[in-house]
Amino acid sequence: MDLDKRNNGKNDFLPLKGIDHLEFYVGNAKQSSVYYQYVMGFKLTAYSGLETGNKNSSKYLLEQGKIRFVLTSPLQNEGEIPEHIKLHGDGVKDIAFEVDDSEKSFIESTKRGAVPVLKPTEFSDENGKIIKSSIKTYGDTIHSFIERKNYKGIFLPGFIQPGSRSIENIESVGLRSIDHIVGNVELGYMNDWIKFYGETMGFSQLISFDDKDISTEYTALMSKVMQNGTGKIKFPINEPAKGKKKSQIEEYIDFYKSAGVQHIALTSANILETVEALNRRGILFLSVPESYYETLEDRIGKIDEDIPKLKKLNILVDKDEDGYLLQIFSKPVQDRPTLFFEVIQRKGARSFGKGNFKALFEAIEREQDLRGTL
Ligand code: FE2
């Protein structure tokens, strides 16, 4: 494992203010929006669809803390959205960034080789205007650059208050922000995408893991973590490595039919409460053997949390030179074994839970075995 120094945003040709939102293409956004509200504690805060003059798609904006997810479903049978869903199932389409200058972001990235998807385009309504442009990343996933400094509306032009579509009195589960978003890419392509984020997007490499760091008796993968100039945005990229059995990355690609977003890590300020609430509402998490907790204190030292409680909830702990972190991984959140969520609480640690990789991947292998895809 190598831990590189961040460049502190110096000479950043593509300054990103943060992740603006993630857009998912899903088969039935109306029903998915209820899952994100009831089960995951998001609030439905804006809507766009037939009632707003959008004849092509319906869109639901869900918010919790600083996290913004847009669920989009097609209203027609032809076009880019239904094609995407037919091929990939439900999944992340757009990792959209907020920027000060969408046109400059588009020019700086495309002149370094990014493939354009949408040229800088103005969208407006009575609340002002935004400028949006987009480029391709791995698989059919895209990055949009959203310039919203001249917009005062609730989200983006065309969105209205959700009214009675929003379920009343939904309590947050305490999710706060996006910690990192992981992409799975095909065998042999990890370094190309590391180069893309480095040379085209101005990111730098934070950490790399090889198959010796991330392997079990049966399967292996390799991973490198890229971060933007401010260190706020972190994108690990995984590729499968040779093992005795099928890597979870290969399983993902078999079902997603291309590279794509594997998991989204969301932060909590109190992971015990968050995981308890998510369990109660119906999220299924991966479980680890009891033996993991028997040696925990020897590995990690003293921590603030009660170990029997962590064990009951299957929460994992790891440490690095800066502190420790607590994390847990959900099972896939759609029928295809593709996207899942991680909940993470950082207590100083900046790393990604290397000490948990083995326990985690063995847990995933047990699930793969049940699916007949190991
Ligand atoms: Fe993660």
Side-chain angles (χ1 to χ4, degrees):
M1 184 178 84
D2 308 307
L3 192 59
D4 293 355
K5 287 196 180 76
R6 54 177 93 181
N7 69 14
N8 288 320
K10 263 180 235 155
N11 308 319
D12 195 349
F13 61 83
L14 188 61
L16 305 172
K17 298 176 85 169
I19 291 174
D20 189 274
H21 65 271
L22 298 188
E23 182 171 18
F24 300 66
Y25 283 176
V26 299
N28 190 335
K30 180 181 262 187
Q31 289 191 6
S32 294
S33 76
V34 176
Y35 179 90
Y36 280 89
Q37 291 175 82
Y38 264 126
V39 178
M40 292 189 66
F42 282 76
K43 216 173 155 37
L44 176 61
T45 53
Y47 167 79
S48 158
L50 289 173
E51 298 84 345
T52 66
N54 182 355
K55 292 193 168 53
N56 191 43
S57 61
S58 51
K59 292 174 185 279
Y60 295 74
L61 173 66
L62 293 132
E63 293 188 76
Q64 185 169 184
K66 289 186 214 154
I67 309 159
R68 281 201 290 223
F69 290 165
V70 177
L71 305 177
T72 296
S73 275
L75 294 166
Q76 310 296 338
N77 62 329
E78 279 176 9
E80 181 247 332
I81 308 169
E83 288 301 323
H84 194 278
I85 294 169
K86 183 182 171 195
L87 184 62
H88 303 291
D90 289 4
V92 174
K93 175 65 191 181
D94 189 358
I95 302 168
F97 303 115
E98 188 187 349
V99 296
D100 273 329
D101 189 333
S102 185
E103 186 174 7
K104 184 168 180 291
S105 304
F106 182 82
I107 291 169
E108 293 291 340
S109 54
T110 51
K111 86 175 182 205
R112 290 174 172 83
V115 178
V117 173
L118 175 72
K119 286 184 185 157
T121 307
E122 193 177 298
F123 297 90
S124 63
D125 64 12
E126 64 279 9
N127 296 305
K129 63 169 190 178
I130 65 130
I131 298 167
K132 179 179 179 179
S133 58
S134 311
I135 57 167
K136 274 178 81 87
T137 177
Y138 46 76
D140 283 331
T141 317
I142 65 170
H143 286 307
S144 290
F145 302 114
I146 310 278
E147 176 185 329
R148 52 167 68 255
K149 58 180 185 274
N150 297 312
Y151 192 69
K152 303 266 179 296
I154 50 173
F155 178 49
L156 292 172
F159 279 80
I160 58 166
Q161 298 282 354
S164 59
R165 292 175 193 86
S166 177
I167 302 168
E168 275 177 45
N169 303 320
I170 291 287
E171 265 186 55
S172 156
V173 297
L175 296 170
R176 292 198 159 180
S177 60
I178 294 173
D179 187 90
H180 59 273
I181 301 169
V182 181
N184 279 347
V185 302
E186 298 88 347
L187 181 66
Y189 285 90
M190 177 178 69
N191 285 329
D192 291 357
W193 289 107
I194 294 306
K195 208 171 145 199
F196 168 82
Y197 281 105
E199 291 178 6
T200 308
M201 307 282 291
F203 283 44
S204 56
Q205 190 174 321
L206 177 62
I207 309 177
S208 79
F209 303 102
D210 62 22
D211 48 353
K212 283 176 220 66
D213 294 316
I214 318 182
S215 66
T216 66
E217 189 186 347
Y218 297 118
T219 68
L221 64 86
M222 295 191 285
S223 188
K224 288 183 176 173
V225 183
M226 299 300 283
Q227 66 175 1
N228 77 321
T230 62
K232 268 196 215 163
I233 301 170
K234 296 187 193 78
F235 292 156
I237 305 286
N238 296 335
E239 77 170 27
K242 260 204 162 67
K244 280 189 210 160
K245 294 195 177 182
K246 186 183 273 190
S247 161
Q248 51 169 305
I249 313 304
E250 267 176 277
E251 185 201 32
Y252 174 100
I253 287 166
D254 283 354
F255 282 91
Y256 201 66
K257 305 294 175 196
S258 75
V261 172
Q262 177 210 38
H263 77 264
I264 303 162
L266 304 172
T267 65
S268 165
N270 186 333
I271 195 169
L272 287 160
E273 284 179 11
T274 297
V275 170
E276 254 168 12
L278 288 169
N279 268 328
R280 246 193 337 267
R281 297 182 194 196
I283 283 258
L284 299 174
F285 289 107
L286 293 175
S287 54
V288 283
E290 296 200 347
S291 56
Y292 174 88
Y293 294 94
E294 285 160 15
T295 53
L296 186 63
E297 211 170 335
D298 299 339
R299 280 185 284 126
I300 306 298
K302 277 264 172 277
I303 54 171
D304 303 336
E305 292 74 15
D306 181 39
I307 290 178
K309 258 193 186 164
L310 296 175
K311 179 176 162 183
K312 190 173 153 248
L313 295 169
N314 283 293
I315 294 169
L316 308 172
V317 191
D318 194 27
K319 69 165 179 183
D320 63 21
E321 56 270 39
D322 301 312
Y324 69 99
L325 62 82
L326 303 119
Q327 61 185 170
I328 192 168
F329 298 84
S330 81
K331 293 185 183 182
V333 290
Q334 57 290 305
D335 289 295
R336 294 195 202 189
T338 51
L339 178 74
F340 60 88
F341 287 103
E342 171 182 349
V343 180
I344 184 166
Q345 181 176 6
R346 293 186 180 276
K347 293 198 151 178
R350 291 199 295 130
S351 55
F352 294 83
K354 181 185 170 219
N356 292 325
F357 287 166
K358 196 162 154 46
L360 172 66
F361 295 138
E362 285 171 351
I364 293 176
E365 283 168 14
R366 286 192 291 277
E367 298 292 317
Q368 278 182 270
D369 201 25
L370 292 174
R371 294 192 282 263
T373 58
L374 184 61

